[in-house]
Amino acid sequence: MAVALRKAGIEDFVILEKALDVGGVWRDNRYPGAACDVPSHLYSFSFHPNPDWSRKFARQPEILAYLQDVASRFDLRRHIRFGAEVRSVAYDEGPSHWQVALTDGTVLQTQFVVTAMGQLSRPALPDIPGQESFTGRAFHSANWDASFDLRGKRVAVIGTGASAIQFVPVIADQAASLTVFQRSPAYILPRADRAYTRLERFLCRWMPWTQRLHRLGIYVQYESRALAFTRLKGLMKPLGERPFRKLLGRQVSSPGLRAKMTPDYPVGCKRILLSSEYLATFERPTVRLETDRIRRITPTGIEMQDGEHHEVDAIIYGTGFATQEFLAPLAITGRRGTSLSEAWARGAKAYLGIMVPDFPNFFMLYGPNTNLGHNSIIYMLESQIAHVMRCLKQMDRSQATHVDVADSAYQQFTEGVQRDLARSVWAGCRSWYVDARGHNGSNWPGFTLSYRWLTRWGRLSAYRFTRQG
Ligand code: NAP
C-alpha cells in the first residue's frame, strides 16, 4: 500500500506498527521449520520480484529478509512509526475525519484509514483448564522460545495445524520424547520442495521474463484448484484425498495410526497442509500421537479424560490464531457512532472485503472474505491495494473528499458471497474459516482472477463520492 501511495506521488501518510520491526507474521513466527506453503516466486510482490529465492518454498528467515528489503528499497521506514499500537479508530462527524488513538495516548487526525493487520496475528491458546498451573516451559508456536533447549526434554505439542506440521518433524530430532495431541487430523499432501539451481537463479536475474513465466506457471497451477474448492467439489477426491491416502499408506505403517490420522470431514474444508515429513515422524519410537480428549493441564503435564497422565517438561501450543474477531482488539466506530463490531454482530462482511457502509474513507486490506485456500494472499492484497488507489484517483477526479459504499451494493455483494460459500467445500465442517454461528467471514469463494477483475476493472458505481466541509 505504501509503495503504491508513493508511486502515485502521495507522501503524506504514516504507517503505525505495534512491533519494533517490519515483517508481520514472518517476523513473529520463528518456530523451527517455519516456511511458506505457497511457492515463493508467487508469494512475493509483483512489483519486486526476487530472483534469488533459494528454494521453491522459502523458509521464514529468507521471507523476512525479503520483506525487510522491500521496506528499505522503497524507502518506507521513514513512514513507519514503530512501537505504535492503535487502541481505537473513530470517525469524527464534525470535521469529517478519523481520529486514531494510540495506546500511548497520542491521537492522530487523518482523512483516510487503511487497515492492514492480517487475520493470523493474534495467537490463540486453547480453552483447556489448568494452563497457568504448569511448572515446566510453555509457549505458543508464534512466540517460540528459542532460549529453551529441547534436547533431552519430554515435549508435548497441542494442535496439528499448518504450524505444528512444520515444527514437529524438526523438534522430533531434538526431544527425548514427543507427544502430539491431535483434536482433528488434517489432510496432508507432499510438499514438492527443492532448491533452485544456480542456473535457474542466473536466468531469473538476467532474463527476468523466465522468472515471470515461472511465476505465471505456478499461478495458473494454483488458480485452477479454485474450481475444486468452489464449483466442482468432486475433483477434491482425485486432487486431495487420493494423494493423501497414498502418502499416509507410504509413510505410516500401523493401520491403527493411519485410521487416527484420517480426517472424517470432506477434503479441503479445513486448510490442506503440505509436508513430506510430518506423517513419517510418527514412525519414530520417541514420537507418539495422542487423540483422546484432554481434561486438564496439571503442574507436571497433561491429563486425559480417561485419567492417563503425560508427564512433560514443555508444552508447545500449535493452536492457531484468533481469526474471527476481525480487526480486534481495535474499537472502530464510524458515522453516528456505529461500531464495526456491532455492524458485524451477525458475521464479518465487507464490499469486496474492503469497505463497509458508514465507515467513509476507511479501507481494509485482507478484510472479510478475502482469504484463500488455494493461492497466494499477496495476489489478493495487490488487487485490494489497486482498488484503494482507484478510489483515491476517482476522488481526485471528482474533487470529492469522501468515499462511502452504498448499503444496497454492500448487501447485494455480501449476500452473493455467502450464497457461493454455501456451495463451497468450506461449508462441510468447522474450521477457523467459520465463526461460532457457522458464518464464513474468511474465504473468497472463487478465482483470484475474478476478484482481480472486480477490484481492478469493475465499475465504481457502488460508491458515493462526496465533497464535505
Ligand atoms: P490452525 O491451522 O488453526 O491449527 C490449530 C490446531 O490447534 C488445530 O489442529 C486445532 O484442532 C488445534 N486446536 C485448537 N484449539 C484446540 C484445543 N482447545 N484443544 C486441542 N487442539 C486444539 O493454526 P496454525 O497451524 O497456526 O495455522 C493457522 C493458519 O496460519 C494456517 O491455516 C495458514 O493459513 C497459516 N499458516 C501458514 C503457513 C504457511 O506455510 N504459509 C504456515 C503456518 C500457518 P482442530 O482442527 O480440531 O480445530
Side-chain angles (χ1 to χ4, degrees), residues 35 37 126-127 159-163 166 183-184 270-271 318-321 432:
D37 57 11
D127 47 359
T160 52
S163 303
Q166 292 185 338
R183 186 165 67 179
S184 14
K270 292 180 192 237
R271 191 175 170 90
T319 42
F321 298 86
W432 66 255

Side-chain angles (χ1 to χ4, degrees), residues 35-107:
C36 189
D37 57 11
V38 176
S40 302
H41 278 289
L42 187 58
Y43 192 86
S44 36
F45 295 115
S46 62
F47 58 82
H48 189 55
N50 175 15
D52 296 325
W53 288 121
S54 67
R55 50 194 316 114
K56 191 168 171 197
F57 295 94
R59 312 238 159 100
Q60 174 266 340
E62 206 176 343
I63 301 171
L64 179 60
Y66 168 80
L67 292 173
Q68 293 183 333
D69 179 52
V70 172
S72 305
R73 291 277 172 104
F74 293 90
D75 196 14
L76 305 182
R77 286 179 198 272
R78 66 194 173 90
H79 289 276
I80 308 177
R81 250 189 237 185
F82 290 108
E85 182 175 2
V86 177
R87 184 204 305 275
S88 65
V89 181
Y91 188 66
D92 190 341
E93 306 256 6
S96 307
H97 63 206
W98 288 94
Q99 299 225 0
V100 179
L102 309 189
T103 50
D104 68 2
T106 314
V107 179

Side-chain angles (χ1 to χ4, degrees), residues 28-32 136-151 171 174 313-317:
D28 296 342
N29 287 267
R30 291 164 179 267
Y31 57 78
R137 197 68 73 96
F139 50 90
H140 189 278
S141 59
N143 299 315
W144 195 269
D145 184 351
S147 69
F148 183 64
D149 188 357
L150 291 166
R151 276 174 303 181
I171 65 172
Q174 303 159 7
D313 304 305
I315 300 177
I316 303 173
Y317 295 101

Side-chain angles (χ1 to χ4, degrees), residues 400-453:
T401 54
H402 288 72
V403 56
D404 201 351
V405 64
D407 202 48
S408 52
Y410 166 78
Q411 294 298 351
Q412 200 185 354
F413 176 84
T414 54
E415 281 164 18
V417 166
Q418 289 305 318
R419 260 197 312 277
D420 289 347
L421 281 169
R423 290 194 293 264
S424 74
V425 69
W426 301 300
C429 73
R430 294 210 68 77
S431 69
W432 66 255
Y433 302 140
V434 295
D435 67 17
R437 291 169 303 259
H439 172 87
N440 185 335
S442 298
N443 287 2
W444 172 244
F447 291 101
T448 62
L449 201 58
S450 53
Y451 185 76
R452 175 144 299 189
W453 177 265

